Amino acid sequence: EPEVTQTPSHQVTQMGQEVILRCVPISNHLYFYWYRQILGQKVEFLVSFYNNEISEKSEIFDDQFSVERPDGSNFTLKIRSTKLEDSAMYFCASLGQGRHEQFFGPGTRLTVL
Amino acid sequence: SQKIEQNSEALNIQEGKTATLTCNYTNYSPAYLQWYRQDPGRGPVFLLLIRENEKEKRKERLKVTFDTTLKQSLFHITASQPADSATYLCALPPEGGYQKVTFGIGTKLQVIP
């Protein structure tokens, strides 16, 4: 069964450093998302991506964040200068054309020290 | 803005009993509602979608109801098993939109053998 994969599973970084979180969505899906979940809190939408551009972003997704689909398979989230409050689980998700159920990856745990 | 309420307290039930979880929402009339399962440290996994014109949906031991007048969905797991222990998330699309979802905080279910 096809699945969304994410790397790394755990990323530890120093405050102010740049991080890139990587995702490989399901191959025939067209819509891609990043969500985050701070420990003990709800899963929060960050950004959606369709047709090689951002279709929607939340207030959380400020200028420190960017997304890219550099090739036909990878979908990345970059945080330019990490803050302590960026520590969270980051989930990538993808969605097929005409569908509503999103498929989530296993997540990347980001720890900012 | 839309608001989703789930009982964030844990629900403990005996194995074999029916678990019932509640999702309430306000300020909004969604075209559909989804339920996801989340295990600790993992991404959400889609379970069921119910549309606004459907009263009830079933999938194996799972049943979801959707009352658009009460603005409430109930999620039932019959003949519960310890393997059903997880956090269950209610998710709604944005009003007028069909892609990104907004999650409730989730209800943690513990099935006791």
Side-chain angles (χ1 to χ4, degrees), chain A residues 67-108:
Chain A
V67 289
E68 196 177 40
R69 188 156 162 82
D71 53 45
S73 59
N74 291 285
F75 180 50
T76 62
L77 174 69
K78 182 193 289 187
I79 309 175
R80 223 176 312 278
S81 177
T82 50
K83 308 184 190 73
L84 295 176
E85 54 265 36
D86 293 328
S87 295
M89 282 288 282
Y90 287 81
F91 296 108
C92 173
S94 68
L95 176 71
Q97 179 77 27
R99 309 293 300 179
H100 297 297
E101 64 273 26
Q102 296 189 13
F103 288 79
F104 283 77
T108 292

Side-chain angles (χ1 to χ4, degrees), chain A residues 1 94-95 99-105, chain B residues 32-39 43-51 57 59 62 64 75 87-91 101 103:
Chain A
E1 187 174 320
S94 68
L95 176 71
R99 309 293 300 179
H100 297 297
E101 64 273 26
Q102 296 189 13
F103 288 79
F104 283 77
Chain B
Y32 60 86
L33 182 148
Q34 300 179 353
W35 285 88
Y36 286 76
R37 169 183 172 141
Q38 187 176 27
D39 290 285
V45 174
F46 172 79
L47 296 175
L48 279 167
L49 179 151
I50 186 165
R51 300 183 188 279
K57 199 81 166 279
K59 179 183 175 184
L62 308 180
V64 171
F75 176 81
T87 297
Y88 291 87
L89 312 178
C90 172
V101 291
F103 286 95

